[in-house]
Amino acid sequence: MPRTSTVESPGCPPLRALTTDSLGLIKVVEVRGKGGGTPQVVETWGPPDASRSVLATSYADRKKDPVLAVARKNGLIEFLNPLKGDVLTTIKASESGSTDQSASANDLLVGLHFFKSKQEDSSSMLGTLLTCTEKGKVCIRSVGRSDAPSDQSIDSPNEWSVTNGGHVLCSSLDPSENYALFGGKHVELNLWDLNSSKKIWAAKPPRPNNLGISIPTWFTASTFLCKDDHRKIVAGTNQHQVRLYDITSQRRAVISIDFRESPIKAVREDTDGHTFYVGTAIGDLASFDMRTGKMVGCYKGKCCGSIRSIAKHPDLPLIASCGLDSYLRIWDTNKRQLLSAVFLKQHLTSVVIDSHFTAQELEGTKPEEPTSQSEVRDQSDQEGNCDEERSRKSKKKRKDAAGKKEKKMKMHDEEQISGIEDPAEKDWIDELPISKRKNHSKKRGEKQLD
């Protein structure tokens, strides 16, 4: 059985998050109300289908025209309106459009990024998309809307390969969207300039230990540490290591930290530029400070499954995590405490947070508040009279119940001594407890039958 611990959940502030799962469903979870609230599933988009399982997501969190891009297992990429759930357009993951389904099935998408800053001027164009497959094929293309005219000219895609062998398992872009990072199994971390499509840096593996044994290359998650600096990189490995790379210093890791004994599955940076969050394959969640190279602490409340995605709110001090235990959890980053959790039934693959969500309390029938002192006094008098009336009714109810009980006991006593002609015997039986009266009455009845 997995280790679990019970903690109090005080509730979380107003929030809107979108989750994807292994059945291809997209669920919208919202917390409404100014005070602490409980997350609730308000919408579910799409039919449940294992062939439409979500492999990667990208959220262009813009105040105007936000877009949610979803890469599915069947080789399609959907672009949705994250506010209403409408499908804007759908394209194939393979730009060539070949009918060879086996080739696309063996080369699944592992990286997906929809550019926030590169908005197309034309109304018929949706934006620019970057995709990366497991075999290292990277493609940057323009995406048109579904209602675009057929004669609309679209720029040819820019394609290249980031590896000659191995499997790419993680990819990420810096906040400026000018540099991309790739890594995986037998694939060292390599940094590419997207404007020139050239590799500008590649990591080197750690040195062998005293026995001459080298650690195999196996990166599972990566991200950029600082928002304004693409030169500092954080990566997690399958050997439960968290590494910090500085491309201006050296090619090997500057700091390497061992965390527990399970592979690192998710890494997410904080907005402060020196803190990041790590999730493991057995549900451990912790935060690290790269200024000291030490762990700040683990989060209270054990997860029961592998953590596959972590999202940080850009304004509020909270993060959201999800994974194979089918729970979406909201955490307080200051206290490292669980604020709330909601069960979503399927294995979750990713979570994103809508930073532009504004809390709107549900309009209910609320009594009008009194404005003058006389109205306040009259309202308090009415409430006092109502309380007195309720207390009087409750006292009367208890008195009636006691009277009925006493009358029932008296009738029972009369039945016990019925049929006895001797007054002395009646008085003697009347002084006995009820239990002994029953036994006496039973024995007397048996004697009369004899």
Side-chain angles (χ1 to χ4, degrees), residues 274-332:
H274 54 79
T275 305
F276 65 93
Y277 309 95
V278 172
T280 68
I282 60 173
D284 292 315
L285 183 64
S287 59
F288 292 82
D289 190 347
M290 282 292 101
R291 294 176 300 180
T292 60
K294 296 181 180 179
M295 182 178 68
V296 178
C298 290
Y299 281 70
K300 303 173 184 176
K302 177 70 179 178
C303 302
C304 300
S306 175
I307 297 176
R308 294 305 174 94
S309 179
I310 302 173
K312 174 68 175 68
H313 198 285
D315 302 323
L316 301 177
L318 58 85
I319 59 174
S321 67
C322 68
L324 300 186
D325 62 350
S326 305
Y327 273 93
L328 171 65
R329 290 178 169 87
I330 312 297
W331 308 84
D332 186 353

Side-chain angles (χ1 to χ4, degrees), residues 7 179 360 388 420:
V7 296
Y179 302 93
Q360 297 178 355
E388 292 178 0
I420 303 176

Side-chain angles (χ1 to χ4, degrees), residues 117-329:
S117 58
K118 296 182 180 180
Q119 287 185 278
E120 301 290 342
D121 297 333
S122 176
S123 59
S124 61
M125 300 302 295
L126 192 61
T128 306
L129 179 72
L130 181 143
T131 59
C132 178
T133 65
E134 192 177 23
K135 294 182 180 180
K137 297 179 181 178
V138 180
C139 177
I140 298 179
R141 73 185 88 170
S142 298
V143 180
R145 296 181 181 271
S146 57
D147 55 354
S150 57
D151 57 349
Q152 177 70 32
S153 61
I154 300 178
D155 297 336
S156 59
N158 183 15
E159 299 181 353
W160 72 91
S161 179
V162 297
T163 179
N164 295 326
H167 299 278
V168 177
L169 300 179
C170 59
S171 67
S172 59
L173 268 72
D174 71 317
S176 66
E177 298 181 333
N178 293 323
Y179 302 93
L181 181 68
F182 305 97
K185 187 176 182 180
H186 305 303
V187 179
E188 288 289 345
L189 286 179
N190 51 87
L191 186 65
W192 290 73
D193 187 352
L194 298 181
N195 297 322
S196 60
S197 302
K198 293 182 179 180
K199 185 194 296 185
I200 60 175
W201 178 84
K204 291 181 68 175
R207 292 184 176 87
N209 57 12
N210 297 332
L211 300 177
I213 301 175
S214 300
I215 300 177
T217 302
W218 197 337
F219 291 96
T220 54
S222 63
T223 186
F224 291 87
L225 181 62
C226 186
K227 181 179 180 181
D228 302 326
D229 189 3
H230 68 279
R231 296 171 296 180
K232 293 181 175 59
I233 299 168
V234 176
T237 69
N238 196 66
Q239 293 84 15
H240 58 86
Q241 283 187 348
V242 182
R243 299 176 186 174
L244 173 66
Y245 292 88
D246 188 352
I247 65 174
T248 60
S249 175
Q250 59 186 22
R251 293 177 60 186
R252 286 192 171 94
V254 178
I255 299 175
S256 182
I257 307 170
D258 290 337
F259 178 57
R260 302 296 171 89
E261 297 180 356
S262 61
I264 307 296
K265 290 297 183 180
V267 175
R268 181 64 60 186
E269 76 282 359
D270 199 301
T271 54
D272 58 8
H274 54 79
T275 305
F276 65 93
Y277 309 95
V278 172
T280 68
I282 60 173
D284 292 315
L285 183 64
S287 59
F288 292 82
D289 190 347
M290 282 292 101
R291 294 176 300 180
T292 60
K294 296 181 180 179
M295 182 178 68
V296 178
C298 290
Y299 281 70
K300 303 173 184 176
K302 177 70 179 178
C303 302
C304 300
S306 175
I307 297 176
R308 294 305 174 94
S309 179
I310 302 173
K312 174 68 175 68
H313 198 285
D315 302 323
L316 301 177
L318 58 85
I319 59 174
S321 67
C322 68
L324 300 186
D325 62 350
S326 305
Y327 273 93
L328 171 65
R329 290 178 169 87

